[in-house]
Amino acid sequence: CALPISRFSPKGFVVVMDMGLDTYSAFISAYFAFFGILLVINADLFFGPDSIIMMAYFEDYSVGPALFFGKALGITILHLCAAPYVFGVPKEAMAKVWLSANICNVILFAYTIMYIPGATSLWYIQAAAQAPILLWNYCVIKDLPKGGAMF
């Protein structure tokens, strides 16, 4: 489902942006690669209480295991983001993977908001950002052929 977005530019030309699979793949890869890169570098520096980019997700600093798993998550995210561009995974398949991951993210964000005491209000923004991402993701994959796997 290609969702063309049109608007008039200041000079009167119509700008049309295709919101289909290629645009979604590029967007979602860039969106998550941002977090992946920063997690690999230093989760506390970028997402801790004294975040240098003003994106403090937690009020407490991480301890050893959390720092390790933050870096491991960052590496995994970067591999997922690179999959269609570096490893040749079809964008259609990756869009289906991202839908599953995004649904799990919404559940995880809700859990974080409700049950983790040191979580900041930034999680509400992240949870709200998932709604249009999920909708766009669904629109992109709804007409794709099922393929040889489960989905």
Side-chain angles (χ1 to χ4, degrees):
C1 131
L3 303 169
I5 294 181
S6 301
R7 68 174 179 81
F8 285 101
S9 67
K11 298 187 180 193
F13 295 103
V14 175
V15 177
V16 177
M17 182 176 182
D18 176 29
M19 298 295 285
L21 180 63
D22 289 335
T23 306
Y24 176 79
S25 294
F27 167 80
I28 204 71
S29 290
Y31 180 81
F32 281 111
F34 165 78
F35 290 101
I37 291 167
L38 298 184
L39 284 170
V40 169
I41 295 171
N42 188 330
D44 275 344
L45 182 65
F46 295 105
F47 304 120
D50 297 321
S51 170
I52 64 170
I53 58 172
M54 299 174 63
M55 291 182 71
Y57 282 90
F58 296 101
E59 296 172 351
D60 302 319
Y61 285 101
S62 301
V63 293
L67 293 173
F68 168 79
F69 284 108
K71 288 184 184 300
L73 174 63
I75 290 167
T76 303
I77 289 171
L78 290 174
H79 278 83
L80 288 171
C81 294
Y85 305 103
V86 176
F87 304 114
V89 176
K91 290 178 184 173
E92 294 84 0
M94 277 310 301
K96 294 174 183 180
V97 170
W98 282 121
L99 182 64
S100 174
N102 287 329
I103 289 169
C104 291
N105 279 340
V106 168
I107 295 166
L108 183 60
F109 294 166
Y111 173 83
T112 301
I113 290 166
M114 292 188 294
Y115 297 112
I116 297 183
T120 66
S121 59
L122 199 52
W123 286 102
Y124 290 98
I125 296 169
Q126 272 297 351
Q130 289 301 305
I133 290 172
L134 274 172
L135 178 62
W136 188 11
N137 199 166
Y138 172 76
C139 286
V140 165
I141 71 161
K142 75 179 181 77
D143 295 326
L144 292 177
K146 182 176 179 197
M150 190 175 201
F151 298 103

